[in-house]
């Protein structure tokens, strides 16, 4: 009986492996680059513009990207945002602040250590943890070894000191943090930052879960910059952002199921096409 259970368990592992590999490869294909579709690139440009106007103009601007629950696309969003800002000539640092279930090293096919946890535990210097020029103008600090006390490390005076030191070297710092409703890490870190971006996913995020997460951030006195609506159809993106770009509709098959919308606190929650056009010209 034990042998059969062992064989069954091994069989399940073999079945899961291709799916896990496919999931990772799927996400890597959606890392922002020259291959990315027109709508995807324009969505990130618009988001980049809105973030720039929402933050102080002087000094380094520090922002974390989070969500209510797992698997809503916050890690790929944080990575693509960092790439978008670096492409605009900004000197950017991306930090994997998810010390429990890190994703960035896997997505970028890099070694996760030494990383942020090692720096915060005084086991490595900042200089050794920073991976230079992963992309032009983009440096990364990965998560490091998984510690037993992530929240305590992220909320420590050492974290504040590290951010202050890094702020002297970069224009923007983006931090990928764990979901708000799962652990307190994002709420703890948000107090040290200039703002929080909240990722919600179509057909997955629940209203109650999002409202609860937002209340947790508000309790922590975090500055919520807005929401990134992830996982939408391209036709939906056309409806609320690209009225003047209809002639490019033929390019929609190049995109993937990522959409932008509802950023900030406009009266209807959606930017108008003419407003986007003015910002981008």
């Amino acid at each position: 009986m034990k042998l059969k259970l062992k064989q069954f368990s091994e069989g399940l592992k073999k079945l899961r492996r291709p799916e896990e590999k496919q999931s990772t490869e799927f996400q890597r294909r959606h890392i922002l680059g020259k291959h990315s579709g027109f709508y995807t690139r324009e969505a990130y440009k618009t988001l980049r513009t809105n973030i720039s106007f929402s933050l102080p103009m002087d000094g380094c601007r520090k922002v974390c990207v989070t969500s209510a629950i797992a698997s809503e696309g916050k890690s790929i969003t944080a990575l693509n945002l960092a790439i978008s800002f670096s492409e605009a000539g900004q000197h950017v640092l991306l930090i994997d602040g998810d010390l429990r279930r890190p994703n960035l090293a896997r997505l970028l096919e890099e070694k996760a250590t030494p990383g942020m946890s090692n720096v915060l535990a005084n086991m490595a210097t900042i200089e050794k943890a920073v991976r230079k020029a992963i992309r032009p103008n983009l440096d990364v600090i990965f998560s490091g070894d998984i510690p037993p006390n992530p929240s305590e490390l992220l909320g420590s005076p050492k974290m504040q000191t590290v951010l202050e030191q890094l702020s002297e070297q970069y224009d923007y710092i983006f931090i990928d943090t764990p979901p708000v409703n799962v652990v307190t890490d994002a709420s703890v870190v948000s107090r040290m930052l200039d703002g929080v971006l909240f990722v919600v996913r179509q057909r997955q995020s629940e209203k109650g879960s999002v409202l609860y997460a937002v209340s947790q951030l508000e309790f922590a006195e975090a500055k919520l910059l807005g929401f990134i609506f992830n996982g939408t159809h391209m036709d939906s993106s056309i409806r609320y952002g690209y009225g003047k770009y209809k002639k490019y509709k033929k390019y929609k098959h190049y995109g993937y199921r990522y959409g932008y919308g509802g950023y900030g606190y406009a009266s209807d929650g959606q930017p108008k096409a003419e407003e986007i056009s003015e910002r981008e010209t």
Side-chain angles (χ1 to χ4, degrees), residues 154-228:
L154 292 171
S156 66
K158 176 73 173 181
M159 180 66 175
Q160 182 72 54
T161 302
V162 168
L163 287 175
E164 289 174 357
Q165 292 177 2
L166 292 169
S167 296
E168 298 175 0
Q169 306 172 39
Y170 296 94
D171 298 313
Y172 286 88
I173 296 176
F174 291 99
I175 306 177
D176 176 23
T177 59
V180 176
N181 289 350
V182 178
V183 289
T184 61
D185 300 12
S187 298
V188 168
V189 174
S190 67
R191 299 174 183 177
M192 308 176 191
L193 308 177
D194 298 306
V196 177
L197 289 169
F198 198 100
V199 177
V200 294
R201 190 173 189 87
Q202 189 179 42
R203 297 189 181 91
Q204 181 167 324
S205 301
E206 296 180 354
K207 182 179 179 180
S209 178
V210 172
L211 290 175
Y212 178 76
V214 169
S215 69
Q216 293 295 103
L217 291 171
E218 289 177 344
F219 182 77
E221 299 182 349
K223 180 183 179 182
L224 185 59
L225 299 176
F227 299 87
I228 300 172

Side-chain angles (χ1 to χ4, degrees), residues 37-86:
F38 170 80
Y39 291 108
T40 301
R41 297 192 66 84
E42 289 302 310
Y44 275 109
K45 285 181 182 179
T46 303
L47 183 56
R48 183 180 70 203
T49 301
N50 285 335
I51 292 171
S52 299
F53 282 123
S54 300
L55 295 171
M57 299 303 293
D58 299 327
C60 176
R61 283 139 285 190
K62 303 179 290 294
V63 178
C64 76
V65 181
T66 191
S67 60
I69 58 175
S71 302
E72 293 186 312
K74 64 178 182 59
S75 295
I76 194 71
T77 299
L79 174 56
N80 284 345
L81 264 178
I83 292 172
S84 180
F85 273 88
S86 67

